[in-house]
Amino acid sequence: MIIDMIISLPAIVVKLSVSKCHIRIQQITVRFLMKNLDTMGYMGYNIINHYAPKKRLWNSKGIDFMEPKYLREAGEAFAFQAEPIDYKRCDAGHINDTFFVNCGEGNDGYILQRVNTNIFKDPIRLMSNIKGVCTHVAKKIEACGGDPDREVRKIIETKDGNDYYVDPDGGYWRAYLMLDDVISYNTPDSAEIFYKSGVAFGKFFNQLADYPADTLYETIPNFHNSVSRMNDFKAAVKEDKMGRAAEMKKEIEFALTKEDKCSYILDRLADGRFRLCVTHNDTKLNNVLMNAKTGEGQCIIDLDTVMPGSVLYDFGDSIRFGASSAPEDETDLSKVYVDLDMFEAYVKGFVGELHDSMTKDEILGLPMGAYLMTLETGIRFLGDYLNGDVYFHIHYPEQNRDRARNQLKLIADMDEKMDQMNEIVKKYL
Ligand code: GN1
Ligand code: MG
């Protein structure tokens, strides 16, 4: 016993000093990043967030430490019910910078967002899309006796009557009314919740069925063009800017074997088997706010990518996110699979709303919609990891790698479950 302890002593000492050294490196990194936040930007903020306790990121007034320049100027530019008292960063969403605005007891709260103009190149046309869509949906809600302020995003104008504020550095900001008594889920707690989100996205799709699609500006061209997504991915692999392709060899090879499936939706849009409609294109479960009291879907949010597309895009993106047994960046892949009960619950809700307007080919194609939206997201995460994390916000350095592995695990599972998914949708023809 004593001899055993003596023998293992050097190993313990080495382990302790390695972990001490690791902690020390983390502390130095955090200190350096905190001093240089202006130049390190969001990536710096997220690394600190990962390594250091969150409370270190809030200053004495309770304001996010990594407060973007002109946050306050932007907040003061909008015609809120009262002047803002404080702001909190919202960490959901991989693209824009989002803040909750508190205007004091008894006053409404607001969402203030700085649009990511590296991705949305023309924020003025983007806002005119959103305004058009919200106005259209608001009229539908009013006609049914609903409350348009609470059932569709309400855009708040600036004090001088614009839909956005431009800061002195050319940053674009917009604001929405924040809704009380709503919940958004990252994973559905029950099949019932996921069913209700399907109903809500189905309703939204219906509300936009007569929207003049040709007036919509394409905020991100080829957004769900899986063929061009695959080409972008191949270019990232070829360039291998960060020297990360070797580490991801297995995942890259796996993704490339799926290339022949990428044109499935495009072929059918081209020959008329699928219709070109107005679609949301980012139908993650957390983009529907559910009423906390009734549990029903209340308001669809994140309207940046409302563009012409196929109904399979909206169905598929919901499945890849909400019918997964685990969150999008779960690293224990044994926990990641497609939950067929969730899949069926969503089919029931979504197709239940849209049945009369969908073609038979579209209903039968839904499992492929799920497959392609998952593949697309997987190769986008992986491509971004190879490109040096320039697109999606990350909260720690390897997050895009982990997200990619997660999505590709779902694809491997869908390969196994395709027959069962096909059988499920046939029941709803
Ligand atoms: C991004 O903004 P957010 O987080 O809702 C992305 C989606 C991806 C999603 C993956 C404009 O959505 O396409 O499916 O991340 N949005 C854009 O979680 O690229
Ligand atoms: Mg989005």
Side-chain angles (χ1 to χ4, degrees), residues 95-132:
I95 309 293
N96 300 310
D97 288 324
T98 307
F99 301 86
F100 299 117
V101 184
N102 172 7
C103 293
E105 259 317 283
N107 293 320
D108 286 330
Y110 301 89
I111 305 285
L112 181 62
Q113 266 186 331
R114 182 169 60 177
V115 176
N116 184 336
T117 45
N118 289 328
I119 290 171
F120 297 109
K121 307 279 185 214
D122 190 337
I124 299 178
R125 290 172 81 191
L126 167 77
M127 281 314 287
S128 100
N129 269 10
I130 295 181
K131 177 95 175 238

Side-chain angles (χ1 to χ4, degrees), residues 95-96 120 282 284 287 302 304-305:
I95 309 293
N96 300 310
F120 297 109
D282 190 6
K284 299 202 270 197
N287 279 336
D302 195 355
D304 290 332
T305 51

Side-chain angles (χ1 to χ4, degrees), residues 231-389:
N231 288 337
D232 293 347
F233 170 66
K234 282 162 59 180
V237 173
K238 197 164 170 206
E239 211 177 336
D240 191 18
K241 264 187 211 152
M242 311 296 291
R244 291 171 169 175
E247 175 200 1
M248 302 306 287
K249 187 167 181 284
K250 201 173 84 205
E251 289 81 359
I252 292 169
E253 281 171 0
F254 176 75
L256 291 175
T257 63
K258 309 299 177 196
E259 187 175 2
D260 60 336
K261 300 193 193 287
C262 289
S263 67
Y264 178 88
I265 299 178
L266 295 172
D267 291 345
R268 284 158 182 78
L269 281 171
D271 67 19
R273 273 177 287 173
F274 292 173
R275 302 152 307 146
L276 193 66
C277 308
V278 175
T279 42
H280 180 283
N281 295 308
D282 190 6
T283 51
K284 299 202 270 197
L285 179 62
N286 56 18
N287 279 336
V288 48
L289 304 179
M290 322 282 286
N291 185 296
K293 289 191 190 108
T294 65
E296 306 295 328
Q298 181 178 313
C299 180
I300 302 292
I301 60 169
D302 195 355
L303 308 174
D304 290 332
T305 51
V306 174
M307 287 183 281
S310 159
V311 65
L312 273 72
Y313 299 159
D314 282 0
F315 174 83
D317 201 46
S318 288
I319 296 299
R320 72 142 196 103
F321 191 85
S324 171
S325 55
E328 200 177 63
D329 46 11
E330 171 61 58
T331 51
D332 178 351
L333 297 184
S334 69
K335 292 187 184 153
V336 181
Y337 57 89
V338 182
D339 182 326
L340 290 175
D341 292 336
M342 290 292 179
F343 179 84
E344 177 150 7
Y346 196 86
V347 173
K348 197 170 152 210
F350 190 74
V351 179
E353 285 299 307
L354 296 179
H355 186 271
D356 295 343
S357 63
M358 282 175 80
T359 67
K360 190 176 168 209
D361 282 330
E362 285 172 337
I363 297 179
L364 292 176
L366 290 174
M368 270 308 285
Y371 193 92
L372 282 182
M373 292 306 99
T374 312
L375 178 64
E376 225 185 72
T377 313
I379 59 179
R380 287 175 67 197
F381 284 145
L382 185 44
D384 197 33
Y385 182 62
L386 299 178
N387 286 335
D389 308 302

Side-chain angles (χ1 to χ4, degrees), residues 5-174:
M5 279 173 69
I6 293 172
I7 292 173
S8 56
L9 212 55
I12 293 170
V13 171
V14 169
K15 257 194 194 156
L16 277 178
S17 50
V18 166
S19 83
K20 232 177 151 183
C21 176
H22 190 210
I23 290 169
R24 183 82 194 117
I25 291 172
Q26 283 181 10
Q27 285 169 347
I28 294 170
T29 312
V30 167
R31 212 169 304 139
F32 171 80
L33 290 173
M34 287 182 91
K35 270 194 195 149
N36 295 282
L37 270 177
D38 271 354
T39 42
M40 297 301 295
Y42 200 84
M43 171 75 178
Y45 164 81
N46 285 328
I47 295 174
I48 297 171
N49 225 2
H50 182 63
Y51 287 128
K54 193 146 187 154
K55 59 179 186 294
R56 293 177 65 178
L57 291 171
W58 301 84
N59 72 14
S60 56
K61 291 185 195 141
I63 291 162
D64 194 344
F65 184 83
M66 173 55 179
E67 181 181 320
K69 213 169 161 190
Y70 303 124
L71 171 70
R72 274 146 205 285
E73 286 81 351
E76 280 152 25
F78 286 92
F80 296 143
Q81 211 178 356
E83 290 304 316
I85 293 176
D86 64 46
Y87 302 84
K88 279 201 165 122
R89 183 184 277 276
C90 160
D91 275 328
H94 303 338
I95 309 293
N96 300 310
D97 288 324
T98 307
F99 301 86
F100 299 117
V101 184
N102 172 7
C103 293
E105 259 317 283
N107 293 320
D108 286 330
Y110 301 89
I111 305 285
L112 181 62
Q113 266 186 331
R114 182 169 60 177
V115 176
N116 184 336
T117 45
N118 289 328
I119 290 171
F120 297 109
K121 307 279 185 214
D122 190 337
I124 299 178
R125 290 172 81 191
L126 167 77
M127 281 314 287
S128 100
N129 269 10
I130 295 181
K131 177 95 175 238
V133 166
C134 290
T135 312
H136 184 89
V137 173
K139 279 188 198 141
K140 297 269 158 104
I141 292 167
E142 244 174 325
C144 298
D147 176 356
D149 281 359
R150 302 187 54 79
E151 292 170 38
V152 64
R153 266 290 181 233
K154 182 176 177 175
I155 299 171
I156 306 295
E157 290 186 350
T158 60
K159 289 171 181 162
D160 44 16
N162 281 320
D163 291 331
Y164 51 84
Y165 162 75
V166 190
D167 71 33
D169 284 350
Y172 279 80
W173 298 78
R174 63 183 172 203

